[in-house]
Amino acid sequence: MSTGKTLLALVLTALLPASAAWAANNDTLVYCSEASPESFNPQIASSGPSFVASSQVLYNRLINFDPVKNTPVPSLAESWTISPDGKTYTFALRKGVKFNSNKFFKPTRDFNADDVIFSVLRQKDPKHPYHNVSQGQYEYFNDVGLDKLIQEVKKVDDTHVQFVLSEPNAAFLADWGMDFASILSAEYADAMLKKGTPENVDTWPIGTGPYVLQQYKVDSQIRYLANPNYWDGEVAIKHLIFAITPNVETRLAKLQTNECQIIPAPSPVQFEVIKKNKDLTLHSVDALNVGYLAFNTEKKPFDNVLVRQALNYATDKTAIVNAVFMGSGTVAKSPIPPNMMGFNKDLKDYGYDPEKAKALLKQAGLEQGAEVTLWSMPVQRPYNPNSRRIAEMIQNDWAKVGIKAKIVSYEWGEYLSGMRKGEHDSALFGWMSDNGDPDNFADVLLGCNSIKTGSNAARWCDKGYNDLVEKAKLTSDPAARTKLYGQAQEIFYQQAPWIALANGKTFYATRSNVSGYSVSLMGSDFSKTKLN
């Protein structure tokens, strides 16, 4: 999972001074981003900051999501039809949508079906000339199973594209609103391939989104210009600047001094400071996420279900949520968030019971205890606002029942890569919904096929569970799907591949004169933002 920083630094020039502090005016907005993007191509990126800097600013997808209902609504596709057998989807594409230009290329045509075909086949077809460009890792496309699900994608005409699937899939439509499904320019890709510089497609992007990339300096700044031809209406703020600011305290300080007008993910300990400042506003959004600790079920002692159950009982989740989330989260018990279709509200949870934990460990032959490693995330997320503190509280809880956990951490890219390879004993992780569908949690995080793709951090494969979630994917009726997911969650509870820790809200803060900026299931939307 390469960050791609070296390549980006070499390719993108005309850089801004690193120390520049941009004074806000009515046509300039500064957003304090958490990190440099791995890539400006969301097909090969995997982190939230990368998606905000690429897919959510530079691109569009076939569909978007209603910010309240989290249901698919038109975007680059104006409408769609589904065949009676659920295996053929035909999208009618929006006409008159313009691609942006850059110093390497000026498009000669509007968005059409060729761009959709290119954006799909680059990810799906190993023989495609772009498949291996920029190291060609299409994790999200593969994680949701589109590499196997899509049998054929074909151009009906310039304004119609048809997908033929190997089987019905209730989550397929929602998948096309995810970041990796951003539509790239096939015409630009062809031109760069002929010039021998195909990597320009990923480092100097051309999209249909509200902004155009202007300048970039790794670990410092990204500058964007408003797209004057944006199909979805006028973009109010002409200049958008990302000031890359990894430190959470520094982000707040910049917001207080008006060096930034928007910051993501303030720490819960900062909430009161923000609320008391009349020039700042704290915002919260009900999110679809879950934070958890995954046991690597391929490694001892976590290959034993009794050990996994014991450590669920040994972990005081309520104390963790109270101490770390400080009102920004609730205790979780399921891999599916409680405000999502398919959540089993009657599911049991493991109460805090150290004596029961000790009895189960004795039954498992671990009366004398064991030593394990516990991986702690190096980043802050709504589902885990302070991973080190959570790890220390779990470490303390486990020590009371004889399990000694050594806390380790790594750089984020290394952490993700190692976890996908199964190098951990146990690891803190979490997931934020990409498409509003329960399959995005139940299968992507715990399905048997997800061990191969690396998104199943527990490396747990239970046939009964897997059969239920696979059947749910084939079922279009919401009530029938909910029942299947409910049964799958009962197996999850019994087999305990995780400790489901918390469901967190998404928080962000703005200067009080900011309006129109929104955060939803699909991330950040700057296109309607204004400074009053």
Side-chain angles (χ1 to χ4, degrees):
M1 208 162 318
S2 170
T3 62
K5 288 183 178 180
T6 303
L7 177 61
L8 289 170
L10 288 171
V11 174
L12 299 178
T13 55
L15 306 177
L16 294 177
S19 61
W22 296 91
N25 54 54
N26 284 344
D27 71 353
T28 302
L29 177 75
V30 184
Y31 172 82
C32 272
S33 175
E34 299 166 274
S36 289
E38 304 158 86
S39 170
F40 283 108
N41 180 354
Q43 296 173 333
I44 57 178
S46 60
S47 69
S50 298
F51 293 144
V52 177
S54 61
S55 54
Q56 295 164 31
V57 176
L58 300 168
Y59 293 103
N60 300 115
R61 287 144 292 286
L62 291 178
I63 69 159
N64 208 337
F65 290 102
D66 182 292
V68 177
K69 299 178 182 178
N70 290 329
T71 52
V73 294
S75 182
L76 291 181
E78 289 188 310
S79 62
W80 48 84
T81 57
I82 307 171
S83 63
D85 66 0
K87 292 166 65 174
T88 301
Y89 286 69
T90 304
F91 292 92
L93 306 181
R94 190 176 299 276
K95 298 173 185 176
V97 175
K98 309 290 183 187
F99 277 100
N100 293 308
S101 302
N102 65 21
K103 65 182 182 180
F104 297 111
F105 185 72
K106 184 176 182 179
T108 66
R109 62 164 175 81
D110 292 348
F111 156 73
N112 69 24
D114 293 329
D115 304 305
V116 179
I117 302 292
F118 168 77
S119 301
V120 175
L121 291 184
R122 172 175 179 173
Q123 299 179 82
K124 175 177 170 55
D125 183 4
K127 296 179 181 178
H128 192 279
Y130 266 86
H131 188 75
N132 294 318
V133 172
S134 304
Q135 301 179 2
Q137 299 294 316
Y138 305 99
E139 292 172 359
Y140 273 78
F141 186 86
N142 295 332
D143 281 350
V144 299
L146 293 179
D147 53 333
K148 297 180 178 63
L149 180 65
I150 298 172
Q151 279 195 328
E152 185 181 11
V153 56
K154 54 189 176 182
K155 176 179 178 179
V156 179
D157 55 39
D158 276 354
T159 58
H160 292 85
V161 172
Q162 194 170 83
F163 290 82
V164 180
L165 311 184
S166 58
E167 61 186 10
N169 186 292
F172 179 75
L173 187 61
D175 289 341
W176 289 101
M178 293 169 64
D179 293 279
F180 76 83
S182 296
I183 303 301
L184 282 61
S185 168
E187 187 188 19
Y188 179 38
D190 289 343
M192 293 304 99
L193 196 63
K194 289 174 184 175
K195 284 187 177 181
T197 56
E199 66 280 356
N200 285 349
V201 169
D202 303 329
T203 54
W204 272 108
I206 286 180
T208 61
Y211 284 92
V212 185
L213 180 66
Q214 184 185 27
Q215 296 173 325
Y216 174 48
K217 185 176 182 180
V218 175
D219 295 334
S220 179
Q221 290 176 344
I222 313 171
R223 289 202 71 184
Y224 305 90
L225 282 176
N227 175 1
N229 301 311
Y230 189 43
W231 62 269
D232 198 23
E234 182 183 357
V235 180
I237 298 291
K238 183 177 180 182
H239 300 280
L240 175 63
I241 299 169
F242 277 32
I244 297 165
T245 313
N247 184 275
V248 66
E249 287 84 11
T250 306
R251 287 201 297 275
L252 178 57
K254 287 185 175 183
L255 186 71
Q256 291 168 321
T257 57
N258 202 26
E259 291 178 68
C260 296
Q261 289 75 56
I262 303 173
I263 63 170
S267 168
V269 299
Q270 298 174 331
F271 290 172
E272 282 306 309
V273 174
I274 296 168
K275 289 177 182 177
K276 289 178 180 178
N277 188 326
K278 64 180 177 57
D279 296 322
L280 308 181
T281 304
L282 180 69
H283 308 263
S284 68
V285 179
D286 286 332
L288 298 172
N289 64 39
V290 63
Y292 58 90
L293 182 134
F295 300 114
N296 187 339
T297 60
E298 293 180 344
K299 289 188 175 183
K300 292 184 179 300
F302 301 127
D303 59 341
N304 189 327
V305 66
L306 296 175
V307 175
R308 303 195 300 266
Q309 291 174 343
L311 294 185
N312 265 276
Y313 282 118
T315 304
D316 190 345
K317 298 195 294 187
T318 300
I320 289 171
V321 170
N322 289 341
V324 178
F325 286 79
M326 302 172 66
S328 68
T330 55
V331 173
K333 62 179 181 178
S334 164
I336 296 177
N339 51 343
M340 176 176 270
M341 181 191 78
F343 174 73
N344 184 347
K345 61 179 175 40
D346 298 320
L347 187 70
K348 294 179 185 176
D349 196 10
Y350 290 88
Y352 180 53
D353 192 338
E355 294 307 312
K356 197 162 189 175
K358 289 177 184 177
L360 285 167
L361 288 171
K362 181 178 180 180
Q363 191 179 340
L366 290 182
E367 191 173 5
Q368 302 304 313
E371 295 185 6
V372 300
T373 59
L374 195 169
W375 286 27
S376 173
M377 295 164 52
V379 296
Q380 176 183 317
R381 291 289 182 267
Y383 54 72
N384 189 329
N386 189 332
S387 186
R388 182 74 192 189
R389 179 72 176 123
I390 290 176
E392 289 169 350
M393 293 183 75
I394 292 173
Q395 180 187 52
N396 185 57
D397 284 343
W398 289 5
K400 294 174 184 175
V401 298
I403 302 298
K404 295 180 181 178
K406 178 184 177 182
I407 299 172
V408 296
S409 191
Y410 304 94
E411 181 272 329
W412 187 223
E414 188 179 353
Y415 189 96
L416 292 171
S417 176
M419 196 174 62
R420 283 178 174 273
K421 294 173 185 174
E423 295 172 356
H424 58 293
D425 290 346
S426 62
L428 287 167
F429 200 51
W431 195 256
M432 300 185 69
S433 176
D434 295 302
N435 63 9
D437 192 274
D439 178 70
N440 192 229
F441 288 82
D443 184 31
V444 170
L445 301 183
L446 290 163
C448 293
N449 287 333
S450 296
I451 297 174
K452 298 171 189 173
T453 64
S455 59
N456 182 341
R459 306 185 75 79
W460 174 70
C461 177
D462 181 277
K463 186 178 186 305
Y465 175 95
N466 201 70
D467 287 349
L468 287 165
V469 297
E470 287 293 327
K471 187 176 180 181
K473 279 196 286 189
L474 301 175
T475 305
S476 59
D477 177 61
R481 290 189 82 200
T482 295
K483 184 176 180 180
L484 291 166
Y485 285 124
Q487 293 169 347
Q489 286 163 83
E490 296 287 352
I491 296 173
F492 167 86
Y493 167 77
Q494 293 293 337
Q495 291 296 309
W498 293 357
I499 300 174
L501 291 170
N503 305 112
K505 287 188 174 183
T506 295
F507 285 83
Y508 63 96
T510 67
R511 299 287 299 181
S512 297
N513 65 330
V514 173
S515 66
Y517 173 74
S518 64
V519 174
S520 66
L521 176 65
M522 281 311 301
S524 298
D525 184 359
F526 296 90
S527 66
K528 303 295 187 289
T529 307
K530 294 181 181 179
L531 291 173
N532 305 313

